[in-house]
Every structure is written in C-alpha cells, then in structure tokens.
C-alpha cells in the first residue's frame, strides 16, 4: 500500500509572505506619517521665523514715527518758551516748521496741536482750524494735568479737529516755573499707518496690526472695521506676560482664520505690533505633499502585497523614486515661497540685506532686497559685485566695520547711524538695524539688517540744535555785555587821559599818548575777538567731524563765558597739557557743548551757595583738564557746586528733566552736548567728585582706531538715549 504524501508547506509560507507584506505596508504608512509630521513642524517653524522677521519690520516702521513724534514734542516746548518770552518771530518760525513737517505726509501725522493749561486749543497745524476747540475733557489732557510728565499714547479716537481716526501722542508743556502749562499733541493718522502696514504683507492672506493695550489701533487689511475694536476675551495675545517683550502664538483671527501671530512690544509705551501669517497658506504645500506621501505609501503597500514575491530589492528602488519625487515637490514649493517673499520685501520702504559675520568681525554680504535701488540708488546685483560695499560709507565709518560687526556677533543685535553715498552721488543719512538670526559651529553668525533713510529726521535735529545755540546766546547776553563793556571802558578812559595830557603838556605828552593809543588798540582787538566768537558761535555747522585742536574750542568757550563767570564770582582754571593730539570734532558744536557745561556749573555753584547760606563768601571754581587715554582723549569739567543728588543721577539725561530753578532752563543744554559727542564718535559721562559734579567728555584722537561710544550718568547707569536733555 502506497504511503500518503507529506502535508503541503505552501500555506504556512503564504501566511508568512502575507504577514511580511502587511508589516512592510504598515511600516511605509508609519514612515509616511512621520515624514508628514516632520514637514509640518518644519513648515510651522519656518512660518514662525518669517512672521517674527515681519514683526521686526513693523516694529521699525513704528519706531521711526515715534522718533519723529519726540522731535515735534521738543519743538512745541520751544514754541511755549518763545511765546512766554514774547518772541513772536521765533514762535512763528517753529509753527511753520511744525506745519511743514506734518503736511509733508512722510510720517503719517494728521496734525500737531498745542493745548493751553485751561484745556482750550492754542494752535493747530491744520489750516483753517482757528475756531475755539475745548479739549480739557480728553484723557490725554487730564493725565498730564494730574501730573504725568512722560509720553502718553491715547486709545484710538476720532479727532475733534481732524474728524479722522487717530491716536494722540502727548507730552506736558512746562512753564518758566516748571509747572504744568499745557499739552503738546501729535495726532497719528491710523488709516495712513494701516496703509503702511499693508506694504509689509508677504501674502494676500497675511495681515499686520498695531495694538494700544487690547484695542486695535491699525490693521493692514480691514482698517475701516478693525480700528478702535477690542481683542476677543479669549485671544491668546491677551495672555502674554506684561514683561515679555516678544513672542509668537498660534491663534484664530476674528474672521475665523487660523494664523501664526508674531508680536513685539514697543518699549516704554502701551503699544504692541503684531504680524498675522495665514497658517493654512503656510501648510498648503505640506497638505498636498501629505496627500502625495499617503497615496505613495498606500500604493507601495498594495504593490508590496501583490508583488511580495518579487523581492525587497525592487521595492527599495520604487521607494527611493517616491522619496525623490517628494523632495522635488518640496523644492518647487520652497522656490515659489521664496519668490513671493522676495517680491514683498522689494516693496518695503527700507533695504533688507543679509550676510555672514566671522569671529574676527569680517562681514560678507550674501543678499540684498530689490528695494535697494529705491533706497540707496544701487541695484542688489551691483552691491553684491562690489569688492567692499563699505566703500559707500565715510572713511571713518568704514574703518570701524570690523569692530561693529564683531560687537553684533557677540551681543546678537545693534543699531547705528551713518552717511551713505547713493548711486547718483548724493549723500544721505541712514539707520542700520542688525540682528543675528543663526550661529554656526565654526563661530560664523548669520545676520539680517534693515537700512532706512533718516535724512529728514537728521535735518529736524539740526534745526533743533541751532535753536538751542541761539537759546544759549540769549542766556549769556548779560555776561557778554559785561565782557564787552570792560574793553570799551578801558578805551574810553585811555582816550580821555590822552586828550587831557595833550591839552596840558602839548608835544611833551606824545610818548604817553602813544602808549594810551596802543592800549586802545589792544582793547579794540579784545572786543573784536569777542564779537568774532559770537559770529562763529551763532552760525550753523552741520559738517562731519574733522581733526581739531581741543585748546582752540576751550579758548573760544572761555571767551564767551568769561563775563558770566566773573559776574558770578567764579574762577575758571584751564589745565591743557602742551602737545595734546588733535581730536575728531566740529568747532561750533564743541564750543557750544563746553559753553553749556560751563553755564550749568555756574548755576549749580549759585544754587549751592544759596542752599548752604554762603552767598558772597568766597569764589566758586570750575576746572578744565585733559589727558590722553589710549586711543581716546578725555577732558573733565569739574566744579564746586555740591554735586548731583543720587535721586537725580538715573534721570540726569531723561528728556526735559531739569534741576534748575523755575525760569532758568529750557531743556536744550545737555541734549545738544550728548548729540554732539555721539556725532563726534565720542561720549559723555557724569559723576560726583569731592566738591561737585565732574563731567567727562571723551573724544576719538584723529588718526587713532575708534572706540565704541558710551554715555552714562554714573557707575552702573544704562547707556544714554540718542538725545538727552541738560540739567539746566
């Protein structure tokens, strides 16, 4: 009998094959989902970085307008001083300047208005707004009337004069007695600001907005319905900690659009800028790619189930082709997004550029936005082809490039201002804001920068400096009259003596007469020197720093202040060693800086005498000395005025802060000193000595490598702002 055949082994092998195919299909699906998840995370992170960069651009646009507001507020304070002194011509000149600045439309202001202490509007830059307008019930008037001395920004409101949506940026006006004398108001056009934000949008679905607290003040897409509205109670932007200055969140807009919102607070104000990037648009490419990956994984699993017998090698090649197709799709999407980004950047009002900073401070330009030709007059291609784009800067600024970029690489961000030569040969002032966005293992830092034309702002600052110089001349008028009376009195006495001698002694008196005539000539030359210094001091000087003798500037300042110091019984001693090297400065602004510090010292000594009950008991003193310290030259001006109170030291350079008696200060002294020293590439510091204040001016020595400028008000104090007032 024949034995039965052994059981077939094909069934177990089939199950093993099917199980293997199912395992492979599942692995493909899991790998696809993992790839989709990674691509989604990468797209989200890329969108967040792009939104934060756009928020930085919005922040710079708003800061530029706030800086212009600060200048206009200072001009309105000068308007009040001139009005109180009866100087109608000077007041009219400031009104013309305010109106022309606002009506030019560059900064998006509707008007500048001045409100009296009684709440009635005294003046407005809007033509034909002469009808009486009462603004005493407005919050931005009442907060200053109750004692607020800093900047106040109102909620969005409709102006009573302009009848347009605005926010009111206000500061109090101070009278001669330092008491509240009214309010200076700059009205910012919120529709114009919304239009400026619209130019920054990278995609049609994106938007930008500015918040005042939780109220929308400007919106790039829907200004007509958004301005003045409240953020929803559940909006994540409400939950951001007050001390957190920047961040990004995933949120839904009121229109139901899911977005990545990057925000940044404006320091010292209740304002927050935000850029809302359409999350769905950033994920659109990922969604398409996810569908492709899932279809590919499913197809791969089906093919594997049907062709499991073909072998692993054929399946591996198919998977490789699929991954390559996915990579090509991702590359195409990235190129399209990059082209859109470049097109939006080209429409910005400033130049965005990028590059690499090596640890030694060497900078390599890698890209520049298409807006370069509009801002600086050079095409991006021309800038990239230049051996060294820093040739467009002043030689002194170009020489400090390595030091500046090394500082950026260490600190992460920095800002500077310098002159730049456009393609048409015209020189303009620009502000360069630089930030590190990535650091590599070799120590190289990738950075992005934003260059904006600030020539108009610098022109306004120059006018303010000229106004301060004329104010200083007015304060010294009495002392200068005394200084001129001395040589005139000597000349008159010598002429009388010569006449009497000639009448009494005739020809025998000729030797004495010749001596008196010589004395008259000397005194006439002395009076002529004083007048020449006044003529030089009163003229405008807006040039660039150049090699200058420090002794020449000190001598000119002493000629202008000798009369005032002598009348106050103050001894001025000058100790400048022979052979001091020349410093980088301008004669007129430097003389003005020294004159302001000497007059501040005089007033401090007078106040100290009164406070200590020593009026008329001995002379006060002021000492000027200088010494070379490495690549810099330091000059100190010390006095016997008792020093600066510790409570005032932190506010010493705060705008419009003064410690002088009412009616003695205009707030234009130390701001001009600080601005001049920064323009020279130097610094100013304040400290207390044994007997009084010690002000130290530090200058770059002509021909020496420049050091980073620092301006502090004593040990541990923060860096000074671009413009700080004097304590006069």
């Amino acid at each position: 009998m024949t034995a039965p055949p052994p059981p077939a082994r094909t069934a177990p092998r089939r199950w093993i094959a099917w199980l293997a195919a199912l395992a492979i299909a599942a692995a493909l699906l899991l790998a696809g989902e993992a790839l989709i998840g990674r691509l989604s995370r990468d797209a989200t992170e890329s969108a967040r970085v792009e939104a934060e960069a756009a928020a930085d651009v919005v922040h710079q646009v708003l800061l530029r307008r706030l800086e212009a507001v600060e200048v206009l507020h200072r001009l309105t304070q000068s308007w009040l001083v001139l009005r109180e002194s009866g100087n109608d011509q000077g007041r009219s000149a400031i009104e013309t300047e305010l109106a022309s600045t606002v009506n030019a439309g560059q900064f998006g202001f509707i008007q500048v208005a001045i409100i009296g202490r009684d709440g009635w509007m005294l003046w407005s830059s809007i033509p034909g707004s002469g009808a009486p307008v009462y603004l005493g019930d407005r919050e931005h008037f009442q907060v200053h009337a109750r004692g607020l001395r800093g900047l106040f920004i109102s909620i969005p409101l409709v102006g009573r004069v302009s009848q347009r949506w605005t926010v009111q940026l206000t500061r109090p006006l101070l009278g001669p007695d330092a008491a509240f004398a009214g309010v200076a108001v700059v009205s910012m056009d919120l529709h114009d600001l919304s239009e400026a934000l619209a130019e920054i949008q990278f995609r049609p679905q994106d938007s930008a907005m500015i918040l005042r607290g939780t109220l929308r003040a400007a919106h790039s897409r829907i200004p007509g319905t958004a301005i003045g509205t409240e953020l929803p109670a559940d909006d994540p932007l409400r939950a951001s900690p007050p001390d957190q200055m920047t961040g990004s969140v995933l949120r839904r807009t009121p229109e139901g659009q899911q977005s990545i919102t990057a925000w940044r607070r404006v320091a010292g104000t209740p304002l927050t800028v935000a850029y809302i990037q359409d999350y769905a648009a950033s994920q659109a490419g990922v969604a398409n790619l996810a569908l492709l990956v899932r279809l590919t994984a499913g197809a791969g699993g089906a093919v594997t189930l049907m062709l499991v017998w073909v072998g692993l090698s054929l399946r591996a090649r198919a998977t490789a082709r699929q991954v390559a197709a996915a990579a090509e799709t991702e590359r195409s999407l990235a190129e399209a997004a990059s082209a859109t980004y470049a097109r939006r950047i080209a429409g910005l009002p400033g130049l965005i550029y990028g590059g690499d900073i090596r640890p030694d401070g060497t900078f390599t330009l890698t890209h520049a936005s298409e807006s370069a030709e509009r801002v600086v007059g050079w095409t991006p291609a021309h800038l990239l082809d230049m051996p060294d784009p820093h040739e467009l800067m002043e030689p002194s600024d170009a020489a400090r490039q390595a030091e500046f970029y090394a500082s950026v690489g260490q600190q992460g961000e920095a800002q500077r201002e310098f002159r730049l030569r456009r393609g048409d040969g015209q020189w303009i002032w620009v502000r360069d804001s630089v930030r590190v966005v990535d650091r590599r293992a070799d120590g190289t830092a990738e950075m992005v920068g934003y260059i904006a034309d600030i020539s108009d702002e610098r022109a306004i600052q120059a006018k303010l400096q000229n106004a301060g110089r004329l104010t200083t001349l007015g304060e010294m008028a009495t002392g200068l009259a005394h200084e001129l009376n001395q040589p005139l009195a000597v000349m008159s006495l010598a002429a009388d003596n010569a006449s009497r001698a000639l009448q009494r002694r005739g020809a025998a008196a000729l030797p004495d007469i010749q001596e008196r005539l010589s004395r008259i000539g000397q005194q006439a030359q002395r009076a002529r020197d004083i007048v020449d210094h006044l003529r030089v001091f009163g003229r405008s000087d807006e040039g660039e720093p150049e090699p200058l003798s420090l002794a020449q500037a000190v001598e000119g300042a002493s000629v202008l202040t000798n009369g005032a110091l002598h009348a106050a019984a103050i001894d001025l001693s000058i100790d400048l060693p022979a052979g001091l090297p020349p410093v980088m400065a301008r004669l007129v602004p430097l003389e003005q800086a020294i004159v302001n510090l000497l007059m501040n010292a005089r007033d401090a000594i007078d106040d100290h005498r009164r406070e200590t009950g020593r009026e008329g008991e001995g002379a006060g003193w002021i000492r000027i000395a200088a010494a070379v310290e490495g690549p810099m030259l330091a000059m100190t001006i010390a006095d016997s005025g008792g020093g600066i109170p510790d409570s005032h030291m932190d506010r010493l350079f705060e705008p419009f802060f003064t410690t002088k008696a009412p009616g003695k200060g205009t707030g234009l002294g130390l701001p001009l000193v600080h601005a001049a020293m920064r323009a020279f590439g130097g610094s100013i510091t304040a400290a207390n000595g044994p007997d009084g204040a010690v002000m130290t001016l530090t200058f770059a020595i002509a021909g020496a490598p420049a050091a980073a400028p620092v301006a502090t008000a004593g040990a541990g104090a923060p860096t000074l702002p671009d413009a700080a007032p004097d304590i006069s």
Side-chain angles (χ1 to χ4, degrees), residues 52-110:
E52 289 181 351
D56 282 343
V57 174
V58 176
H59 184 254
Q60 290 297 325
V61 170
L62 185 57
L63 284 182
R64 185 181 181 194
R65 299 192 177 207
L66 292 179
E67 289 168 359
V69 168
E70 188 68 24
V71 173
L72 295 176
H73 279 164
R74 292 179 189 166
L75 286 176
T76 57
Q77 178 65 40
S78 298
W79 179 94
L80 180 65
V81 172
L82 295 172
R83 182 176 182 265
E84 294 292 335
S85 64
N87 188 341
D88 293 336
Q89 183 177 1
R91 177 172 58 84
S92 177
I94 289 182
E95 290 176 357
T96 301
E97 182 61 30
L98 289 172
S100 63
T101 300
V102 173
N103 295 334
Q106 178 181 0
F107 299 105
F109 301 142
I110 295 176

Side-chain angles (χ1 to χ4, degrees), residues 302-356:
V303 170
T304 301
L305 290 172
M306 291 186 296
L307 304 177
V308 64
W309 317 110
V310 176
L312 296 177
S313 58
L314 183 60
R315 181 172 52 80
R317 287 195 294 270
T319 302
R321 287 193 297 271
Q322 295 161 2
V323 172
E328 178 62 22
T329 301
E330 183 177 2
R331 184 187 64 79
S332 300
L333 292 173
E335 289 180 353
S338 177
T340 301
Y341 179 83
R343 186 169 63 256
R344 299 299 182 187
I345 289 295
L348 293 177
L351 162 62
I352 293 181
Y353 68 97
D356 297 327

Side-chain angles (χ1 to χ4, degrees), residues 148 212 439 459 504 530 546 582 587 610 622 628 636 675 681:
L148 177 64
R212 197 283 190 187
R439 298 185 185 275
R504 294 175 182 175
I530 296 173
E546 61 184 9
L587 180 60
R610 284 192 295 271
I622 301 175
V628 175
T636 58

